[in-house]
Amino acid sequence: MFAKHVIYKHDNYNMLTVEVQGKTLVVREISDQWGEECHRFLSRAEMMHWAENHFQAKDFPGGEDQLRETLNNLRSI
């Protein structure tokens, strides 16, 4: 059984989920613009490095506050 965490969900077409599969973290990023992208990470540090470089405040409807909330949700996994 894999643990699945919803990091954010704006609607059915814009969401980010993380599945913990043993030692592997599988991040699924779904957007109405690009479709679904799947990223696999072997550590939380690697996932956080990717997230901090990948996301920008302009990517979120809530701006800087929502970016901080998303990064905090990722850290809590």
Side-chain angles (χ1 to χ4, degrees), residues 6-17 28-37 55 59-61 66 70:
V6 177
I7 303 304
Y8 70 78
K9 183 174 182 175
H10 301 300
D11 52 31
N12 287 337
Y13 303 105
N14 295 290
M15 67 180 78
L16 181 72
T17 62
R28 294 191 199 301
E29 184 179 15
I30 302 169
S31 73
D32 56 359
Q33 189 175 23
W34 300 106
E36 182 176 336
E37 293 184 45
F55 295 117
D59 297 334
F60 295 93
Q66 195 166 15
T70 299

Side-chain angles (χ1 to χ4, degrees), residues 27-69:
V27 177
R28 294 191 199 301
E29 184 179 15
I30 302 169
S31 73
D32 56 359
Q33 189 175 23
W34 300 106
E36 182 176 336
E37 293 184 45
C38 184
H39 309 279
R40 291 185 182 273
F41 301 102
L42 298 177
S43 70
R44 285 171 172 74
E46 182 183 9
M47 177 183 68
M48 289 307 302
H49 178 72
W50 168 81
E52 290 167 354
N53 292 320
H54 180 72
F55 295 117
Q56 298 177 1
K58 67 178 183 163
D59 297 334
F60 295 93
E64 188 70 34
D65 291 335
Q66 195 166 15
L67 172 61
R68 262 186 264 127
E69 181 183 337

